[in-house]
Amino acid sequence: MYKIKAFLTNYHAAIFGFLILSFGFDFMDKIEIFYDIDFIKFNRIIKAIFLVYSIIFILSHVKYIQENLKMVSFIIVLLSIVYVSKNNFSERYFFEYLRYIFALLVFPLLHYTYLNKDQGLFVKLYKFFKWIILINAILILIGILFEVKIFQTYQFDGRFGYNGLILSQGFTPFFYLCATTVFWVCRDKKMLLLLLVLCALSGLKGVYFAEFLILSLIVVSSQKFNKYFKITTFSILLIIFVTLLVRLLLTPMFVELFESKGLLSAIFSYRTDNVLEVFSQLNQANFNIIIGALETEVVRLEMQLFDVILFFGLTGLVAYIFFLCLLYKNIVKGRVAKAFFITILVLSALSGNLFYIPLSSILMFLVLIALYNNSNTK
C-alpha cells in the first residue's frame, strides 16, 4: 500500500512522464494524419488520465489550494459556470471547454510540486528540451535528405517547413520559444544555435516572430551588453527575421494569397479575414457577450484574444486577464522571465493556441516557475 501511495504521489515523475508520453503519442497521431493510418488516440487518453490525476490532486490538497491558489480555483469555477450557462453540451463545445480549462486544472499540481522547492526543475527542463531538440534535429535532417513527409510541418504540398516529431504547427512556436529561453539561461550556445537552425527550417511565421522578439527583448534589456552591441544584435536579428519572412511570403502559395486577399491576409494566414467574417455573423441567438458562443459553428479563430471572447465572452476575457496578472505578480521575476512572458502573450494574441493546446500552457508554467526558482537561488 505504501509503495502504491509513493508511486501515485511522485508528482515530478507524473508531470515529466506526461510530457514525454505526450510527445511520443502526438508523433503517433501525426503518423496517422499524414499517412491516413487508423491508430488509437493514445495522446487523448494520456491527456484524460493526467487531467483526472490533476483533479484528484486538487481534491486531496484542498487546504493548500485555499491557502495559496484560492483565486485560481475561483477562475476555474467561474469558467465552468460560464460553460454550463451556455446550455450547449454538444461534443464540440464540451471538448473546447476541456481544452481551455485543462491548463488551469493542472497549474495547482505544478505550483505545489515545484514553486520554491529544490526539485532541480531548471536542470530537468534543460535535459528535457535538449534531448527533444537533438532527436528532432536528427529527424528533420532525415526528412530533408530523404524527403520523408512525416517530418514536414504541413501535410499538404506547396508549403515549406520541417518540425520533426512535433504534431501541431500551432504548438511548434511555443515549444521552440520555451527551449530558447532555457538554453539562453543555461548559456548553452551550441544548443541555442542548433535550435535557431531548426526554427529557420520550420517554415512558420510564428516561430520566426517569437524567436526575433524573445532574443531582442533579452539582449536589449540586459545590463551586461553595451549600447553598440544591443543595436548591432537587434539589427542582425531584424534582418534575419525579415529575410525569413519575406522568403516565405514569396512562395507561390503566399503570392497567390497576397494578390487575391492582400498583405494582412497573407501575413496572418486568413486569421484576420476569419475574425471579421465570424464576428459579423454573431447575433443574439448564437452569441452572448457575457458568456460567449451559444450555437456558433466556429468557436476558434487562432487569435487568443478573439478565441477567448468568442467561447467565454467578456467573463472569460476578464478571468484570463486576471489569471495572467496573478502569474505576473507572483511568479514572473527577472528580465528573462519578463521577456519570455511578454513574448509568449504577444505570440498567443497573434496566433492563438497558448491556452487551447495544453502542452503550450503547461510548458509556459514550468519555464516561468523554473525561472522564478532560479532567480531566488542567486
Side-chain angles (χ1 to χ4, degrees):
M1 190 68 181
Y2 173 78
K3 290 183 178 180
I4 295 176
K5 183 179 180 180
F7 173 77
L8 293 175
T9 56
N10 188 344
Y11 301 126
H12 165 72
I15 292 166
F16 274 84
F18 167 71
L19 292 177
I20 294 169
L21 288 175
S22 291
F23 272 87
F25 292 149
D26 278 352
F27 182 58
M28 290 176 62
D29 199 35
K30 187 176 184 180
I31 294 173
E32 176 189 8
I33 294 170
F34 273 59
Y35 296 110
D36 196 23
I37 302 173
D38 191 17
F39 278 166
I40 298 174
K41 296 288 185 179
F42 289 110
N43 54 345
R44 295 182 184 179
I45 294 172
I46 193 66
K47 287 179 176 65
I49 293 173
F50 192 63
L51 184 61
V52 172
Y53 183 84
S54 299
I55 293 172
I56 292 173
F57 169 84
I58 291 174
L59 296 176
S60 60
H61 292 78
V62 174
K63 184 178 179 181
Y64 180 85
I65 303 299
Q66 289 178 340
E67 292 177 353
N68 299 278
L69 298 168
K70 186 180 295 184
M71 295 312 300
V72 174
S73 60
F74 171 76
I75 292 171
I76 293 172
V77 172
L78 178 62
L79 293 178
S80 299
I81 292 173
V82 169
Y83 166 68
V84 173
S85 301
K86 295 175 184 292
N87 198 29
N88 184 336
F89 303 104
S90 63
E91 182 178 332
R92 180 161 57 101
Y93 271 57
F94 176 66
F95 282 112
E96 290 291 315
Y97 161 72
L98 283 184
R99 277 183 171 274
Y100 280 110
I101 210 75
F102 194 106
L104 295 174
L105 289 171
V106 171
F107 182 73
L109 173 62
L110 306 181
H111 189 281
Y112 176 86
T113 305
Y114 294 118
L115 194 68
N116 286 322
K117 295 182 180 178
D118 187 20
Q119 289 274 7
L121 176 59
F122 211 99
V123 175
K124 293 180 175 68
L125 271 181
Y126 168 75
K127 291 180 179 179
F128 170 77
F129 282 119
K130 182 177 181 179
W131 279 108
I132 295 292
I133 293 299
L134 287 174
I135 292 170
N136 219 33
I138 295 171
L139 297 179
I140 289 173
L141 180 61
I142 293 172
I144 294 173
L145 293 178
F146 301 102
E147 298 183 354
V148 181
K149 195 173 186 61
I150 188 62
F151 301 133
Q152 295 179 6
T153 304
Y154 293 93
Q155 182 183 6
F156 56 85
D157 296 326
R159 181 79 185 262
F160 170 81
Y162 289 85
N163 66 348
L165 58 79
I166 301 175
L167 168 62
S168 167
Q169 60 265 27
F171 170 64
T172 306
F174 294 100
F175 174 69
Y176 282 163
L177 173 60
C178 291
T180 298
T181 305
V182 171
F183 291 153
W184 177 278
V185 174
C186 291
R187 299 178 182 179
D188 192 332
K189 296 178 181 178
K190 293 180 180 179
M191 286 305 303
L192 186 59
L193 180 60
L194 174 61
L195 175 57
L196 293 177
V197 172
L198 298 186
C199 289
L201 293 172
S202 70
L204 291 166
K205 299 186 293 294
V207 170
Y208 301 159
F209 173 76
E211 295 302 312
F212 161 70
L213 186 57
I214 184 67
L215 292 175
S216 296
L217 288 175
I218 290 176
V219 171
V220 171
S221 64
S222 176
Q223 297 179 348
K224 297 179 181 179
F225 307 126
N226 58 41
K227 183 182 291 187
Y228 175 78
F229 181 84
K230 291 179 181 180
I231 294 174
T232 302
T233 303
F234 176 78
S235 300
I236 293 172
L237 290 172
L238 181 61
I239 291 171
I240 294 174
F241 167 61
V242 172
T243 301
L244 290 171
L245 183 61
V246 170
R247 288 193 63 180
L248 186 62
L249 293 176
L250 287 177
T251 55
M253 187 186 77
F254 281 106
V255 170
E256 182 179 347
L257 177 57
F258 170 71
E259 292 176 348
S260 61
K261 294 290 185 177
L263 180 61
L264 203 61
S265 297
I267 291 176
F268 287 97
S269 298
Y270 285 114
R271 287 184 178 89
T272 50
D273 301 76
N274 294 335
V275 168
L276 294 174
E277 181 181 353
V278 169
F279 274 81
S280 67
Q281 296 173 354
L282 298 181
N283 54 57
Q284 292 183 350
N286 62 23
F287 182 80
N288 181 291
I289 189 63
I290 303 299
I291 62 174
L294 302 174
E295 293 288 345
T296 59
E297 292 184 9
V298 178
V299 290
R300 178 177 172 236
L301 299 164
E302 290 191 86
M303 298 183 81
Q304 197 70 84
L305 177 66
F306 296 111
D307 286 346
V308 171
I309 293 175
L310 185 59
F311 193 71
F312 285 114
L314 290 181
T315 304
L317 180 63
V318 172
Y320 273 104
I321 290 175
F322 184 60
F323 174 69
L324 292 171
C325 288
L326 288 176
L327 272 185
Y328 184 81
K329 180 181 178 181
N330 297 306
I331 297 179
V332 181
K333 306 294 181 183
R335 61 178 185 85
V336 175
K338 291 177 181 178
F340 171 74
F341 193 61
I342 291 170
T343 302
I344 206 165
L345 291 186
V346 174
L347 174 63
S348 68
L350 298 176
S351 65
N353 297 314
L354 176 59
F355 293 111
Y356 189 80
I357 299 177
L359 279 180
S360 298
S361 45
I362 290 173
L363 287 179
M364 177 187 72
F365 294 150
L366 288 173
V367 170
L368 286 175
I369 292 172
L371 290 171
Y372 177 84
N373 290 345
N374 193 52
S375 66
N376 286 344
T377 57
K378 289 183 178 180

